[in-house]
Amino acid sequence: MKTNLVLGAIAFWLAAWATNEWLVRQKFNNPLANRAIRLAVPLLFGISILVLWEGLVRGLNVPFVLLPPPSAIGVRLVSSVPTLWADFQQTFLKAVITGYALGCGLGFIVAIAIDRSPFLQKGLLPLGNFVSALPVIGVAPIMVMWFGFDWQSKVAVVVIMTFFPMLVNTVSGLAATSSMEKDLMRTYAATWFQTLVKLRLPAAWPFIFNALKINSTLALIGAIVAEFFGTPIVGMGFRISTEVGRMNVDMVWAEIAVAAVAGSAFYGVVALIERAVTFWHPSMRSARAA
């Protein structure tokens, strides 16, 4: 046991925690300074976690197979860029993006149809709730049998995982419009389509973007898990399952890091689009004021 490394890592973590506590209490008249603090706090917290991880793992002599230090994971990231990029293309660019677009798009269209048809609302929604409860580990092998081992079967899994959150949230959003607002549109002789476009869809945007943000993480999880049940010799899920068997734990953590960055960036892009589209919503105005 290397006591100096352990104590140094803990001391750095405590110092970073105290600094963050001080930073979050600072209020400046300059918006740029406030924005810089909002960026600095999570960045410093993340660095402190990595330093604590490194110090504890090396100081306590934790076996590499159980938990490699961040420095070793970083070396593996740099040395395996071609492999990681190929896995990223297979899993994220092909399976996740395609399945996300299809699942969310179909869920939105079906939600519009359900809103228009009381029969579909009473018959399809209960079925949708039932199917949405199916575990991905049960659906993935079936999709692989139906659509093959390539990325198309992963797209099918992602479509199933993203379809119903979008369906349920869109239906709830379309139902959020009050009767008084609908009556006002009828007094203007607005058609169903005009009411949908000018009143109900704008009111439903927060619900729709909530589903889009949820699905941005579900899609990546679904694609990676599906690759555990059959895939060509490429893909994040394939690499994780293979390298675990070879005891190359640093490569496993490198794949996890790439997946985490990709998922966070995807979520961030959707959140930025939400801010631009729903700038009028009270939650957006309060976030900007803060």
Side-chain angles (χ1 to χ4, degrees):
M1 177 177 174
K2 301 175 182 178
T3 308
N4 291 338
L5 283 177
V6 175
L7 294 178
I10 295 174
F12 182 87
W13 182 76
L14 291 175
W17 186 286
T19 303
N20 274 339
E21 286 288 345
W22 178 80
L23 286 174
V24 296
R25 289 179 170 82
Q26 304 307 307
K27 299 294 181 182
F28 297 96
N29 294 327
N30 189 345
L32 291 178
N34 290 323
R35 183 173 298 179
I37 288 177
R38 287 198 297 268
L39 293 175
V41 168
L43 181 62
L44 181 58
F45 182 76
I47 293 173
S48 68
I49 292 296
L50 292 178
V51 171
L52 182 65
W53 179 355
E54 182 84 20
L56 292 179
V57 168
R58 293 193 180 277
L60 298 176
N61 296 320
V62 177
F64 189 87
V65 174
L66 294 181
L67 185 63
S71 57
I73 298 171
V75 170
R76 174 64 76 170
L77 275 168
V78 174
S79 63
S80 304
V81 169
T83 301
L84 294 171
W85 173 246
D87 293 339
F88 176 80
Q89 285 181 302
Q90 175 75 11
T91 302
F92 193 86
L93 298 183
K94 292 181 179 179
V96 173
I97 297 298
T98 305
Y100 180 85
L102 289 175
C104 293
L106 289 173
F108 179 80
I109 293 172
V110 173
I112 298 296
I114 286 177
D115 180 75
R116 185 64 170 165
S117 170
F119 166 73
L120 291 177
Q121 187 172 8
K122 295 182 182 298
L124 187 58
L125 273 183
L127 179 62
N129 293 331
F130 170 77
V131 176
S132 63
L134 296 177
V136 62
I137 57 174
V139 174
I142 298 174
M143 295 299 104
V144 170
M145 292 172 60
W146 286 1
F147 297 100
F149 286 91
D150 211 345
W151 59 272
Q152 291 86 353
S153 58
K154 308 343 175 253
V155 169
V157 173
V158 174
V159 168
I160 293 174
M161 293 192 66
T162 57
F163 175 83
F164 294 102
M166 175 58 72
L167 173 66
V168 173
N169 277 273
T170 304
V171 170
S172 299
L174 293 174
T177 308
S178 67
S179 300
M180 184 178 297
E181 292 169 327
K182 296 177 185 177
D183 291 339
L184 179 62
M185 293 299 290
R186 279 194 289 268
T187 61
Y188 291 147
T191 63
W192 175 86
F193 183 76
Q194 290 173 325
T195 303
L196 176 70
V197 173
K198 296 183 178 181
L199 173 64
R200 304 182 68 202
L201 274 181
W205 278 127
F207 294 84
I208 294 171
F209 275 104
N210 185 50
L212 289 173
K213 289 187 291 186
I214 292 172
N215 286 341
S216 66
T217 55
L218 284 180
L220 185 58
I221 294 171
I224 291 176
V225 172
E227 288 180 345
F228 279 69
F229 296 93
T231 184
I233 54 172
V234 65
M236 292 181 176
F238 165 80
R239 196 73 54 196
I240 290 172
S241 61
T242 302
E243 299 301 334
V244 164
R246 297 174 178 173
M247 296 299 179
N248 295 328
V249 188
D250 53 345
M251 187 62 179
V252 174
W253 280 95
E255 288 285 357
I256 292 173
V258 171
V261 171
S264 299
F266 193 14
Y267 184 96
V269 169
V270 175
L272 287 176
I273 297 173
E274 179 187 20
R275 289 175 67 92
V277 174
T278 62
F279 61 91
W280 49 268
H281 196 263
S283 62
M284 294 294 111
R285 293 200 299 267
S286 61
R288 286 194 296 270

